[in-house]
């Protein structure tokens, strides 16, 4: 027995106080990073600290962030969905086609979400139903979904969305507070509750930690996974509505290569790529970090490709840092 | 027959044969030997990269930076050739391979020493490598007339009816075959993928084996880098963009299990060839260019379903009665 | 000081680098102008919008954009205009609602005609030609191809057999060119109105040993094509001068931003050493004719752009 | 036969130990697994290492085989101090081990499993497949194991796999052979075969370290003993100078009542009835009944199909035909969730793989199958979860620092308690325990047995799958023996006889 509890009758609920564990957490570290970037940006460029700039900066991550919320849950369950950008393209194409024949705003929203859900269900059937590895399945569906968009649209573009449709991606709820950021925060709260406060969320963690033990504990593993893929599809559909509205047009190349950016936000947010660990709060902060970094570097007119060196390095460093710190601490603790 | 059916490689070979037959119906010229050689030639780079990726996937890792690595090494050799036109081509190839190995080693060190998940590491290095090309070249292209004749001509020279380009692929296949079946390292790479814990107990350093896998994949990326820029006679930041997923797809089609430990050199080669045939056939049989992406997606999904069924364990049979039946 | 952002499709492209040089030249000429040369990582509309947003935040005086997508960037550019920024497009245009004016390097009809003529000049008896384009969504390419198809009847005996897309990827373009040679054994010319495509096609023709049989032509920079002109894979090709293009758009942007001119149909704007442009009914203006390069003049230009 | 060999084993007391460990310490985050322990191994002798779960035995094995590096202490081999940088250097020094977990390669061939990491090579440094296969065949033959060297490991039975692990240990020219609970997964018959092998090794002059929780085995095979408690060495000596009571006292620090505490419980009406349950490959024609308050033992050799059968009752495996009724109502579970809802729960055999969710805290593990009860409309209620967890943790005398501790940080025995607690918390009508005390130390084992008995007394019906004869005989009201997927016999408690059970399980006919 490793622990020498004097009497087994008195097992406490927790050892650390909630405050202490919060300070030790990944989210806190990430928050420090975000604050540091914010301060750096404020000093590095005079244009950063203006309400409109800050508002514009949020557009750099809101749509990807919304998908990242669902992606986080998929990754926690031990799977991955690389087809999200493909779903987005297909959903946007479907909305475009509907708009051509005169669909109104509510119909477009339903179609965008609906196509997202259907694509998600298709992934879900392959991954949960046929028990195929999600990483390769979604590499396939990534091409399939976007490929269908190419077949439909070819070299054409859909424009001419109804007037009210532009609100989702371009509208402001109040002053500089955009509809997108509000929606992102609402979705964040919903996903926070779903992952951390419901038994569904608990099952997701259990599955990611130990698929088999979760099944033996009476969790309907395949059903949960199916729902997760459907949910991710729905979020990709939602992002399609926002992005299409923001661009005011659809081409099959829309949101090209976003899947990796979405995964980057999730991983940066502390979601363990091996499954079983991570939190929504981390993903939300990671979204802001990405937005602040790319927008800040943009204000300094750093070329995009050089910017990507920063984000790539940041990903590696932020993930490596706790590991290195842990090693050093261990070394110091041991005489 | 049972043996043939049991081995994925034969099934894949059959699928490729059927595919070629179907294409030939639409376009008779496709089956001409000279065309098949051309298709092989065109697929060489994919084959080479798929083998490198296979080694990494076998160890339960993935190398998403393989195409960016190729592009960076390609730019390095192209620029060296531009600045020092007298450097002999073999030296450039060696430099390309070494540069690729160094980049692969960087991935490998992070995976080995820091125990970071490879997908995260290579997602990061993918963008870092790409960005480095831009910095290195200041965004300029290296164009055909800036490359020496020898540089461009070497892989194109024909040797016994095939371009040297193809011979490179064949040589790489041979080296990998020996590596995977005849050397302790090759066996260790399999072992690490089949059961990492058991590998530790067997005296195999899991992290170090993965490190070598990344170095190997880096080396082939470096070699492919030279081949790529020499073949297309141009080097710029975006070459081979998005190619990493195609390489992974070739491995998947070839039956390399993404969970590690399962897969053969033959499988990876055939998987790459299958994709190569499809990609070369689509333009000539008049499939709309817009349908190509959807078709390759569908092919990948079908291959995954197929491979998974082949892989699914038969299960132990306890009952005598049932055993007699099977 | 006037700050003019020259926003291109993506960085690392010789054409745009040359245009940026032209812009700097104009800035020096005008005086007290700062050029912000920038572009996204990926040649996508979304990435370009992120850059537009940072330009808006920097309160630049003018944005001169070569767009990745004519429609998708419109809302972002409208926002820029609302905040008092002069927006003009050049090279690859933006839909009318999203800019004050667009500067075509040349007139689209002229380019469409040029690319067919380049092939036809070397085919006195007619023959088969095919077009190898960039991505299927590239606006300017599509417009030129349309114009080219429109003028085809003027060239007797020239038959356009196929249009394929190399996605501006070397390997795909190369493979598409190979496919064309296979599918059309009688093919006489490949027209690629995009630099990645023309280089790959020339290489494919060289590798197939069909130099002399198939002429590769289209639009490209002299530096990129010098080798292929020398080898004979390409007899000639055309391009407008990207330096002049960057130079001109900077002049125009400055004039509009400082209210020295207004962007309305019929208005004429002076563009320094290049002359002047007149804005047409659709808010577009054309700079000059494309210039044809061949073995006789390539050496003069290959080290310039 | 084994007994005869063991009697003739040389007890030449080699005066010098081949291997001497001293002052070895090893800490993990939050745990001091080993605290300055020492250990000596003698050539031609079997040293038994005993201690409770988590005493540090396996950790020591990993240090001796170079997998872990000790924080302090020295290792002397043949009088010389050595330092293992890696598992490979330990192999080079002639130390080989059969580890507690199965550590083989399913996808590789038997021959390769035996030689992986030390394969014979040709002069060019390539793997010499021919020699490798021949040598593998030789070793297997010398062990009398009828295994084809070219077979894939995944196609072998679990017992054969174990033999391959032994063959692997033999293939290394080892002076020291370590066996960490080699018998935990073996049946009676296979254990006997293993003991024959150990005797052969002993005669060869090898020093053997043997780890087991089963005292009768230790007394059978060991020449010396070393006892660990809480990472410290408590005592060491010769087997002939000690007895079980003393060893147990050293191990636990108190004496433990070894008797099986089966209470007499009035057996009630039939609760579960299984009628002609069949599966295409795993079992056939299974019919039996389970009564209220009864403990029904399932005995058999490993691989007899008991786990598959139980998993079918639990909805984890789909049977092809047959009927199951619970209190008269149809109860053939379609899924695990369905079974739990109906009141049939299964505590699986493979604790780490199927039982515990290692990365989640104790309280979340315990509440996992009961989430429906502890949550309201799908929303979690942490207070209810803690309350439920505490209730069962205390009932099972769980030793943990807090309920928010990850299960992975607990010792094996305590993990098992968490696993039992999580299914008990669903308040089942029938509980199936598959090898409930596998790899559990004697103290925890007694606790599990006492608890099982209490459950039956509370009116629960218990099915206990076990391959351990004393446990089966001590705890069951009735025993069903399975062999090759079929029911081979059924015995009431008063008709239980060890020899008959073993014969029935192994299929040896009486003459
Ligand atoms: N990798 C590890 N990380 C953290 N703690 C560990 C690790 N390995 C072992 N421990 C802890 O070290 C202690 C000793 O464990 P060890 O496995 O050596 O026990 P054991 O004597 O073999 O027990 P058992 O009889 O259950 O096999 C336990 O408290 C265990 O939880
Ligand atoms: N050859 C094997 N390879 C891997 N696992 C095996 C093998 N044989 C049996 N097992 C595993 O061991 C357990 C035994 O399964 P089975 O139902 O066949 O026998 P059993 O009578 O329950 O044996 P046990 O005494 O181990 O419970 C199962 O969990 C099974 O997955
Ligand atoms: Mg142990
Ligand atoms: Mg069992």
């Amino acid at each position: 027995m490793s622990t020498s509890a004097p009497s087994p009758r008195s097992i406490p609920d927790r050892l650390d106080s909630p405050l202490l564990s919060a300070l030790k957490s990944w989210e806190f570290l990430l928050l420090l990073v975000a604050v540091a970037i914010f301060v750096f940006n404020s000093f590095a460029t005079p244009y950063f600290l203006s309400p409109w700039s800050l508002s514009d900066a949020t557009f750099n991550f809101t749509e990807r962030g919304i998908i990242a919320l669902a992606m986080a849950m998929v990754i926690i369950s031990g799977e991955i969905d690389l087809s999200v950008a493909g779903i987005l393209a297909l959903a946007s194409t479907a909305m475009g086609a509907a708009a051509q024949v005169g669909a109104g705003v509510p119909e477009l929203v339903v179609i965008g979400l609906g196509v997202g859900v259907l694509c998600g269900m298709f992934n879900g059937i392959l991954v949960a139903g046929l028990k195929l590895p999600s990483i390769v399945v979604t590499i396939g569906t990534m091409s399939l979904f976007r490929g269908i968009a190419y077949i439909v649209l070819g070299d054409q573009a859909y424009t001419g969305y109804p007037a009210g449709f532009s609100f989702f991606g371009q509208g402001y709820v109040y002053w500089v507070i955009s509809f997108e950021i509000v929606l992102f925060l609402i979705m964040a709260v919903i996903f926070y509750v779903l992952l951390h406060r419901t038994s569904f969320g608990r099952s997701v963690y259990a599955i990611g930690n130990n698929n088999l033990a979760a099944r033996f504990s009476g969790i309907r593993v395949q059903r949960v996974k199916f729902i997760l893929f459907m949910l991710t599809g729905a979020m990709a559909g939602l992002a399609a509505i926002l992005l299409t509205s923001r661009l005011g047009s659809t081409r099959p190349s829309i949101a090209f290569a976003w899947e990796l950016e979405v995964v980057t936000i999730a991983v940066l947010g502390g979601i363990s790529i091996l499954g079983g660990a991570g939190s929504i709060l981390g993903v939300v902060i990671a979204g802001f970090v990405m937005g602040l970094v790319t927008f800040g570097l943009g204000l300094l007119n750093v070329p995009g490709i050089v910017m990507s060196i920063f984000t790539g390095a940041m990903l590696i460093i932020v993930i490596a840092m706790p590991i290195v710190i842990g090693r050093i601490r261990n070394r110091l603790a041991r005489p | 027959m049972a043996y043939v059916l049991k081995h994925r490689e034969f099934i894949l070979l059959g699928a490729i044969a059927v595919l070629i037959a179907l294409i030939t119906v639409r376009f008779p010229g496709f089956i001409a030997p000279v065309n098949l050689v051309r298709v092989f030639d065109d697929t060489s780079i994919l084959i080479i990269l798929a083998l490198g990726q296979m080694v990494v996937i076998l160890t339960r890792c993935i190398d998403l930076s393989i195409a960016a690595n190729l592009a960076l090494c390609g730019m390095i050799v192209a620029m060296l050739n531009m600045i020092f036109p007298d450097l002999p081509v073999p030296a450039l190839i060696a430099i390309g391979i070494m540069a690729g190995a160094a980049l692969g080693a960087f991935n490998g060190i992070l995976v080995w020493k820091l125990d970071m998940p490879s997908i995260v590491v290579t997602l990061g290095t993918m963008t870092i490598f790409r960005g480095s090309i831009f910095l290195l070249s200041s965004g300029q292209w290296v164009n055909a007339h800036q490359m020496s004749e020898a540089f461009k001509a070497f892989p194109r020279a024909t040797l016994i009816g095939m371009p040297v380009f193809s011979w490179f692929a064949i040589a790489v296949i041979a080296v990998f075959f020996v590596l995977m079946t005849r050397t302790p390292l090759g066996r260790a790479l399999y072992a690490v993928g089949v059961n990492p814990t058991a590998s530790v107990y067997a005296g195999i350093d899991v992290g170090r084996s993965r490190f070598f896998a990344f170095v190997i994949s880096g080396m082939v990326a470096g070699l492919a880098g030279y081949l790529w820029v020499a073949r297309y006679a141009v080097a710029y930041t975006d070459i081979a963009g998005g190619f990493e997923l195609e390489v992974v797809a070739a491995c998947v089609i070839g039956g390399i299990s993404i969970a590690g430990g399962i897969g053969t050199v033959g499988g990876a080669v055939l998987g790459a060839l299958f994709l190569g045939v499809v990609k070369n056939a689509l333009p000539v049989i008049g499939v709309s260019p817009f349908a190509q992406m959807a078709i390759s997606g569908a092919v990948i999904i079908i291959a995954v379903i197929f491979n998974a069924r082949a892989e699914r364990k038969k299960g132990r049979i306890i009952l005598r009665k049932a055993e007699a039946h099977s | 000081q006037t700050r003019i952002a020259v926003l291109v499709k993506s960085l690392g492209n010789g054409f745009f680098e040359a245009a940026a040089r032209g812009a700097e030249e104009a800035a020096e000429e005008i005086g007290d102008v700062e050029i912000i040369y920038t572009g996204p990582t990926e040649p996508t509309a979304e990435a370009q919008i992120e850059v537009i947003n940072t330009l808006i935040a920097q309160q630049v005086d003018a944005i001169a954009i070569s767009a990745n997508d004519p429609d998708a960037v419109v809302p972002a550019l409208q926002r820029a205009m609302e905040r008092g920024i002069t927006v003009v497009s050049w090279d690859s245009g933006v839909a009318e609602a999203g800019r004050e004016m667009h500067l075509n390097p040349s007139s689209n009809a002229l380019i469409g005609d040029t690319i067919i003529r380049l092939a036809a000049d070397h085919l006195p008896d007619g023959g088969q030609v095919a077009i190898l384009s960039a991505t299927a969504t590239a606006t300017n390419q599509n417009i030129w191809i349309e114009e080219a198809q429109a003028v085809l009847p003027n060239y007797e005996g020239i038959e356009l057999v196929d249009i394929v897309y190399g996605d501006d990827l070397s390997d795909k373009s190369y493979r598409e060119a190979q496919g064309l040679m296979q599918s059309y054994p009688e093919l006489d010319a490949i027209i690629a109105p995009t630099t990645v495509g023309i280089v790959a096609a020339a290489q494919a023709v060289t590798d197939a040993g069909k130099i002399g049989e198939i002429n590769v032509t289209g639009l490209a920079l002299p530096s990129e094509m010098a080798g292929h002109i020398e080898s004979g894979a390409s007899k000639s090709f055309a391009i407008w001068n990207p330096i002049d293009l960057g130079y001109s758009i900077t002049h125009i942007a400055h004039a509009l931003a400082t209210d020295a001119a207004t962007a309305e149909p019929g208005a004429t704007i002076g563009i320094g050493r290049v002359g002047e442009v007149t804005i047409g009914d659709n808010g577009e203006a054309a700079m000059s004719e494309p210039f044809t390069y061949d073995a006789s003049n390539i050496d003069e230009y290959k080290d310039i752009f | 036969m084994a007994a005869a060999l063991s009697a003739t084993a040389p007890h030449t007391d080699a005066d010098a130990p081949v291997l001497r460990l001293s002052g070895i310490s090893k800490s993990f985050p939050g745990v001091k697994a080993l605290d300055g322990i020492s250990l000596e191994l003698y050539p031609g002798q079997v040293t038994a290492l005993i201690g409770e779960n988590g005493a540090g035995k396996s950790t020591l094995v990993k240090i001796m085989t170079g997998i872990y590096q000790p924080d302090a202490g020295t290792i002397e081999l043949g009088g010389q101090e050595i330092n293992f940088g890696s598992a490979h250097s330990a192999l080079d020094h002639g130390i080989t081990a059969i580890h507690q977990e199965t550590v083989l390669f399913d996808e590789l061939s038997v021959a390769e499993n035996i030689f992986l990491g030390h394969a014979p090579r040709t002069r060019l440094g390539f793997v010499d497949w021919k020699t490798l296969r021949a040598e593998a065949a030789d070793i297997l033959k010398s062990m009398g194991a009828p295994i084809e060297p070219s077979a894939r490991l995944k196609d072998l039975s679990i017992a054969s796999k174990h033999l391959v692990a032994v063959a692997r240990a033999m293939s290394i020219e080892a002076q020291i052979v370590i066996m960490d609970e080699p018998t935990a997964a073996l049946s009676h018959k296979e254990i006997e075969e293993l003991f024959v092998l150990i005797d052969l090794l002993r005669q060869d002059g090898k020093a053997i370290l043997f780890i087991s929780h089963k005292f009768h085995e230790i007394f059978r095979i060991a020449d010396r003993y070393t006892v660990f408690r809480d990472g410290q060495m408590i005592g060491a000596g010769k087997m002939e100078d000690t007895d079980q009571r003393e060893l147990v006292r050293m191990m636990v620090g108190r004496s433990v009542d070894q008797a099986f505490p089966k209470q007499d419980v009035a057996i009630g009406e039939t609760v579960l009835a299984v009628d002609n349950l069949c599966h295409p490959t795993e079992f056939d024609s299974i019919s039996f009944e389970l009564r209220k308050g009864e403990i029904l033992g399932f005995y058999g050799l490993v691989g007899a199909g008991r786990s598959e059968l139980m998993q079918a009752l639990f909805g984890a495996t789909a049977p092809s035909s047959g009927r199951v009724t619970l209190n008269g109502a149809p109860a053939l579970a379609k899924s695990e969730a369905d079974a739990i809802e109906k009141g049939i729960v299964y505590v699986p055999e493979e604790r780490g793989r199927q039982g515990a969710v290692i990365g989640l805290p104790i309280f979340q593990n315990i509440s996992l199958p009961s989430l429906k009860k502890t949550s309201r409309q799908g929303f979690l209620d942490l207070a209810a979860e803690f309350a439920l967890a505490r209730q069962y943790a205390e009932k099972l005398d769980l030793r943990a620092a807090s309920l928010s501790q990850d299960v992975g940080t607990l010792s094996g025995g305590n993990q098992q308690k968490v696993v039992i607690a999580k299914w008990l918390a669903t308040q089942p009508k029938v509980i199936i325990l598959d090898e409930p005390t596998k790899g559990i130390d004697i103290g925890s084992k007694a606790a599990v047995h006492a608890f099982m008995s209490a459950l039956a007394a509370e009116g629960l019906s218990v099915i206990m799958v076990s391959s351990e004869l004393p446990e089966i005989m001590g705890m069951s009201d009735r025993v069903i023996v399975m062999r090759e997927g079929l029911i081979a016999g059924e015995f009431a408690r008063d008709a239980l006889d060890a020899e008959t059970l073993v014969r029935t399980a192994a299929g040896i006919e009486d003459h």
Side-chain angles (χ1 to χ4, degrees), chain B residues 316 318, chain D residues 106 153-161 185 282 299-311 346 349-350 353-354 434-435 438 465-467 482:
Chain B
R316 301 159 303 120
I318 295 180
Chain D
D106 264 344
L153 193 82
K154 67 173 173 187
D155 297 329
L156 298 187
S157 75
I158 208 156
S160 302
K161 281 183 186 176
E282 306 297 328
Y299 183 66
L301 303 182
V302 171
R306 294 165 300 169
S307 296
E308 287 296 338
L309 170 63
M310 298 311 157
Q311 287 173 18
Y346 171 75
E349 173 179 9
E350 293 178 66
R353 233 164 59 82
Q354 305 167 329
D434 197 347
E435 308 280 5
K438 182 163 137 184
V465 175
S466 172
S467 307
M482 279 184 74

Side-chain angles (χ1 to χ4, degrees), chain B residues 18-181:
Chain B
V18 170
L19 193 64
I20 291 179
L22 285 176
I23 297 162
T24 307
V25 173
R26 285 286 301 266
F27 181 79
F30 198 81
I31 199 151
V34 75
N35 185 56
L36 292 180
V37 167
R38 189 189 62 73
V39 171
F40 182 82
D41 195 51
D42 187 59
T43 314
S44 304
I45 289 182
L46 185 58
I47 291 175
I48 292 173
L49 291 178
L51 287 170
Q53 185 70 270
M54 173 193 79
V55 171
V56 176
I57 293 180
L58 278 180
T59 66
R60 298 193 178 181
C61 289
I62 192 159
D63 187 357
L64 293 178
S65 71
I66 196 165
N69 186 336
L70 176 159
L72 181 49
C73 294
M75 180 56 84
I76 290 172
V77 294
M79 288 183 71
L80 280 175
N81 179 251
M82 180 173 74
I83 301 166
F84 309 105
D86 295 329
L87 266 185
V89 173
L92 283 174
I93 296 178
I95 290 171
I97 294 177
M98 282 185 321
L103 298 177
F106 182 67
N107 286 329
I109 285 281
L110 290 174
V111 170
W112 178 18
K113 291 298 180 190
L114 292 186
D115 253 332
M116 288 174 69
S118 61
I119 188 164
V120 174
V121 169
T122 57
L123 198 60
T125 54
M126 174 170 88
T127 57
I128 294 176
F129 294 169
R130 281 272 174 218
S132 307
I133 308 174
F134 183 84
L135 292 183
L136 185 69
S137 65
S138 346
Q140 305 287 322
W141 291 26
V142 178
N143 294 303
H145 73 277
Q146 290 159 315
M147 298 176 182
S148 71
E149 270 321 304
F151 184 83
K152 290 178 287 185
F154 181 55
R156 298 195 162 76
T158 6
L159 200 74
I160 332 180
M162 269 201 295
V164 167
F165 207 70
S166 302
W167 286 112
F168 265 111
I170 290 171
V172 170
I173 294 171
V175 168
F176 270 81
F177 186 78
V178 173
L179 172 76
M180 296 318 287
T181 61

